[in-house]
Each structure stands twice: as structure tokens, then as C-alpha cells.
Amino acid sequence: MTPPSPVSSGLRPIGKLAAATGVKIPTIRFYEEIGLLPAPPRTASDRRMYDDDAERRLSFIRHARQLGFDLDSIRSLLDLSDHPDRPCAEANIIAERHLAEVKQKIAQLKALQRELSRMTAECAGGRVSACKVIEALHDHSASV
């Protein structure tokens, strides 16, 4: 009797993991390099083989990245996830800190929107010599 192939035993190669999670192969390798994703077992021919836990962890990382968490925050959140009996206050602190950063970026984008709206509204459509957009870009005192 032949042993089950790695794929039939729940393990899958990196390409199938990439397809299942929507994460590109070089990114998966990068996450392994920096320790966010543990190095997987390899076949006799040195192919990486991933299990369901690796897929769940990679999906967690992908979702956290989509929400804009930086890699250090994701590392901390994964550490918390790996220790489910710990209190979640630290996870909340990380999320609150990120929320504050998002609010700050939104405020900066709103200021940028106001400035661009002002610049374009003042444009008379004449010559560049009288262009308010060009003039505003030369005026660094009006920076956002």
C-alpha cells in the first residue's frame, strides 16, 4: 500500500495556498522570511507544503493588511491569536491605535480635498500665466 500523497493528506503546495488565499507566492515567501508565517514542511523534492493552519494564518495576515495594519501590529496580533487564553486588551489597544492613524489620514485627505477644490474652483480656464492651480502649487505657504 502506498502512503497518501501530501495533497490528499490536507497539505497543499504554495501555488494552491496562494490561489486559496489570494496572496501571491512571493508575498507568502516574504511572510515566511520575516516570521509571520512558519516555515512549512517540505517534500523530498524540497517543495513547500501547507496545511489548513497555514491557510488560516495567511488569511488572517491578508485581512489585517487589507485593513491597513502594519507588519509589527500584525505580528503582535498573531502572537495574541496564538495564545487564546490571554486577555484581549492588547489587541484592542493595537486596533485603537490604528483607528487613530486612520482618522488622522482621513483628516489629511479632507484637507487635501478642500485645497484641491479651492485650486480648481479658482481656475479661470485662461492662460497658464494666470492659472490659479499653478500659482497655488508655487505658494508653499498654503500647503496642506
Side-chain angles (χ1 to χ4, degrees):
M1 184 168 175
T2 60
S5 72
V7 174
S8 68
S9 65
L11 295 176
R12 58 194 123 342
I14 196 167
K16 293 213 185 275
L17 179 68
T21 60
V23 178
K24 295 180 187 218
I25 291 172
T27 304
I28 295 171
R29 289 182 181 141
F30 172 71
Y31 290 156
E32 287 175 22
E33 271 182 42
I34 63 171
L36 290 182
L37 195 62
R42 294 181 180 251
T43 64
S45 61
D46 207 32
R47 287 180 66 193
R48 293 171 165 91
M49 298 303 287
Y50 298 87
D51 59 13
D52 292 340
D53 288 339
E55 184 177 331
R56 278 189 293 276
R57 190 172 185 93
L58 188 55
S59 293
F60 180 101
I61 295 167
R62 180 174 185 249
H63 190 209
R65 292 296 288 157
Q66 287 173 331
L67 292 173
F69 284 97
D70 62 37
L71 294 176
D72 287 334
S73 294
I74 293 171
R75 185 180 313 283
S76 296
L77 291 165
L78 283 168
D79 183 57
L80 290 166
S81 179
D82 290 340
H83 300 93
D85 292 333
R86 289 172 51 187
C88 72
E90 188 177 340
N92 198 47
I93 289 168
I94 293 168
E96 286 176 345
R97 182 177 60 229
H98 184 55
L99 177 60
E101 292 167 359
V102 167
K103 287 179 177 180
Q104 180 181 9
K105 286 178 186 176
I106 290 170
Q108 290 170 340
L109 286 171
K110 286 181 177 178
L112 177 61
Q113 179 183 21
R114 285 189 302 273
E115 178 64 9
L116 288 170
S117 293
R118 183 190 66 77
M119 286 169 47
T120 58
E122 291 177 1
C123 182
R127 300 219 174 254
V128 171
S129 61
C131 179
K132 294 298 181 180
V133 173
I134 300 296
E135 183 181 314
L137 291 172
H138 279 292
D139 182 7
H140 301 289
S141 68
S143 294
V144 180

